[in-house]
Amino acid sequence: MQKAALLGTGSLIASASGATSRLENILSEPDNAFTLPALPYAYDALEPSIDKQTMEIHHTKHHQAYVNNLNKALSDLQKTTDKNSLEDICKNVSKYNTAVRNNAGGHYNHSLFWTLMKPAGGGNPAGSLMDAINSTFSSLENFKTTFSDKAKTVFGSGWAWLVVDSNKKLSIGTTPNQDNPLMDISEFKGTPVLGLDVWEHAYYLKYQNKRPDYISAWWNVVNWDEVSRLYSLVIK
Ligand code: MN3
């Protein structure tokens, strides 16, 4: 029964190497019809850190709604000659209305978020990212504590981020709602390499009001390989 149910959602699940899962493919998708990217793992793959029901609702309902509402908001603008990528829209979001801002952010943030997790994740980053974390934050433990503290204190809904800033330095910050550090309107700017969704919809079914417990458990599913890969792309 479990297996049949999983197979039934097969179209939403691609292999980790699937082209649709790569963030850069999603970022360069033209704006005439954004689509929900496949999850690179099954809905129950991040158990027990993140439960199956939360993952399924988060992906098929919340993320799908951002995609649908972004397409609707862009078609309402009737800019039929524009084929801006998701990255272009985020970087120039001040030229758009609130519906585009909220839903382009929602689509970008979640597309990134799924790729930053994997079953049996956690552990340590490798190579140049680990060196940069050590030199910027003294140690991985200190980095995780600082990042977690930022995530815990986001008031209401929002995201915590590790970005590479304009000086190619690592920096930790937060954004409200579905804003992100790529956006020209954001006070906190940079290219995200790690992001954590601290909206209640990301954790409430399992953790209720205990956001710190969700954050602690999330470190066990962080996909450091992908964070390191994104970091390498930004600093090269
Ligand atoms: Mn979310």
Side-chain angles (χ1 to χ4, degrees):
M1 197 64 190
Q2 176 95 7
K3 192 171 184 190
L6 273 178
L7 289 172
T9 57
S11 63
L12 293 171
I13 299 169
S15 75
S17 59
T20 54
S21 300
R22 281 287 171 97
L23 181 68
E24 46 270 48
N25 293 328
I26 296 159
L27 284 178
S28 59
E29 209 179 10
D31 75 3
N32 48 339
F34 289 114
T35 56
L36 182 68
L39 273 194
Y41 38 73
Y43 290 120
D44 63 357
L46 305 181
E47 296 260 12
S49 295
I50 304 181
D51 61 287
K52 178 184 177 182
Q53 188 182 18
T54 295
M55 287 301 296
E56 188 158 5
I57 295 172
H58 204 171
H59 184 241
T60 64
K61 306 297 184 196
H62 291 277
H63 191 174
Q64 182 71 66
Y66 295 122
V67 171
N68 294 348
N69 292 332
L70 176 59
N71 288 332
K72 167 94 168 50
L74 289 168
S75 80
D76 287 349
L77 296 175
Q78 297 182 322
K79 294 170 72 174
T80 52
T81 56
D82 282 7
K83 289 289 180 283
N84 292 317
S85 69
L86 185 56
E87 184 170 16
D88 291 335
I89 293 170
C90 287
K91 287 181 172 174
N92 298 286
V93 83
S94 62
K95 296 175 184 157
Y96 294 87
N97 60 30
T98 305
V100 172
R101 172 177 170 174
N102 289 340
N103 292 292
H107 182 30
Y108 170 86
N109 297 347
H110 290 85
S111 298
L112 174 64
F113 187 52
W114 309 135
T115 67
L116 298 175
M117 301 185 286
K118 68 173 185 180
N124 299 340
S128 58
L129 176 60
M130 188 67 186
D131 295 342
I133 285 174
N134 281 330
S135 70
T136 309
F137 305 103
S138 304
S139 69
L140 180 64
E141 280 316 302
N142 194 47
F143 159 72
K144 286 166 73 172
T145 301
T146 308
F147 186 99
S148 296
D149 288 347
K150 282 274 188 186
K152 287 173 196 169
T153 53
V154 171
F155 182 75
S157 299
W159 291 73
W161 304 96
L162 174 67
V163 304
V164 179
D165 69 16
S166 55
N167 298 315
K168 306 269 184 189
K169 297 292 186 194
L170 290 175
S171 178
I172 296 171
T174 65
T175 57
N177 305 311
Q178 294 296 353
D179 287 355
N180 65 52
L182 287 181
M183 291 182 171
D184 58 356
I185 46 79
S186 181
E187 284 179 36
F188 177 69
K189 286 194 181 65
T191 303
V193 295
L194 183 63
L196 175 58
D197 188 344
V198 292
W199 283 56
E200 285 187 346
H201 69 225
Y203 62 86
Y204 209 85
L205 287 176
K206 182 176 173 79
Y207 296 99
Q208 295 81 48
N209 60 318
K210 300 183 286 288
R211 187 193 286 181
D213 292 357
Y214 158 68
I215 296 168
S216 303
W218 173 75
W219 290 112
N220 296 324
V221 292
V222 168
N223 180 358
W224 284 113
D225 292 340
E226 179 64 7
V227 182
S228 301
R229 192 184 70 84
L230 294 175
Y231 177 73
S232 303
L233 289 176
V234 179
I235 58 161
K236 79 175 178 189

